[in-house]
Amino acid sequence: MYAETDFLLALIKDDDWLGDAAESVYRDQRDELWTSQFTLIELLMVAYREDRDTERVVTNAATLVDVRGDVDTVVAAATYVEDHGFTPFDALHLVESDGDTIVSSDDTYEDVTSRLDLKTIDEE
């Protein structure tokens, strides 16, 4: 049974109006529940938007149900959001770049990885 984002949010958030229903389903169906890395990415976005601890939200969700896909990338991205102030997608790009130079005009990457700054290309 595929667990969508709203289900996991209802389990994670203390004040979610679907919390009781989600807990009931979780109790009864725990061993059948799974989700994808895309749900974790959506949770990362929601946590960021709601100013929650992104790393905690993503790791908690990943422990609740089986996650099919690349969990480590999303958890690493959540860490960059928390520790370095990245936006979720900038953090995902950084992790996915795997140490390769990033071509971007975004200064976010400046102190973290090698970057080819698009703003300076005409100057060369």
Side-chain angles (χ1 to χ4, degrees):
M1 188 177 311
Y2 187 85
E4 221 259 39
T5 308
D6 64 343
F7 171 76
L8 290 169
L9 279 172
L11 290 175
I12 293 168
K13 292 169 82 174
D14 293 330
D15 56 350
D16 195 284
W17 69 282
L18 295 170
D20 291 341
E23 287 175 21
S24 175
V25 170
Y26 188 74
R27 260 191 319 275
D28 296 341
Q29 307 293 328
R30 176 185 215 156
D31 294 335
E32 298 175 39
L33 293 168
W34 67 278
T35 197
S36 72
Q37 71 191 57
F38 301 108
T39 300
L40 295 185
I41 292 169
E42 188 174 6
L43 286 170
L44 173 62
M45 295 296 297
V46 170
Y48 177 78
R49 183 182 67 224
E50 294 182 357
D51 201 27
R52 294 178 180 270
D53 184 328
T54 56
E55 187 176 14
R56 188 168 152 228
V57 168
V58 170
T59 55
N60 283 350
T63 63
L64 288 172
V65 296
D66 179 42
V67 180
R68 298 178 188 173
D70 188 357
V71 176
D72 294 338
T73 293
V74 184
V75 171
T79 301
Y80 278 103
V81 170
E82 284 304 310
D83 294 350
H84 299 283
F86 275 63
T87 64
F89 280 108
D90 285 343
L92 286 164
H93 291 309
L94 174 67
V95 174
E96 282 295 315
S97 73
D98 198 27
D100 211 356
T101 299
I102 296 177
V103 180
S104 174
S105 64
D106 195 334
D107 294 337
T108 302
Y109 305 107
E110 193 65 34
D111 296 327
V112 184
T113 193
S114 171
R115 176 176 67 102
L116 176 58
D117 187 351
L118 286 172
K119 295 180 282 190
T120 63
I121 296 301
D122 290 339
E123 298 170 5
E124 293 178 10

